[in-house]
Amino acid sequence: MPAGIHLRKARTYRPDPDVYERAKSAVEEVDSDMNKHLNGFLLWLVHDTDELPARPPRKSK
């Protein structure tokens, strides 16, 4: 596939910067990436699956 050509159109998503940074760390902890997790949540939202993406254990405060 030539550079710059993608299978899917880009979507605009503007998360809160702090939440986004924390989410990037969280997906790394469960050996995943942001794209897999966002798609997983969307599949759950539209009832294509009952499985939510993994998340790391809660950290003590």
Side-chain angles (χ1 to χ4, degrees):
M1 178 176 294
I5 297 175
H6 300 279
L7 294 176
R8 295 182 176 90
K9 181 181 176 184
R11 304 289 186 241
T12 302
Y13 168 63
R14 292 183 177 91
D16 176 274
D18 178 58
V19 173
Y20 186 76
E21 290 303 315
R22 291 171 31 220
K24 285 193 320 188
S25 296
V27 295
E28 288 176 5
E29 285 184 48
V30 295
D31 196 31
S32 187
D33 61 53
M34 197 67 72
N35 191 57
K36 288 178 189 173
H37 263 64
L38 289 174
N39 282 315
F41 286 125
L42 293 174
L43 289 169
W44 172 82
L45 182 65
V46 298
H47 298 276
D48 282 359
T49 184
D50 290 328
E51 302 293 322
L52 284 168
R55 68 178 181 180
R58 184 182 300 270
K59 293 182 173 142
S60 304
K61 289 187 176 184

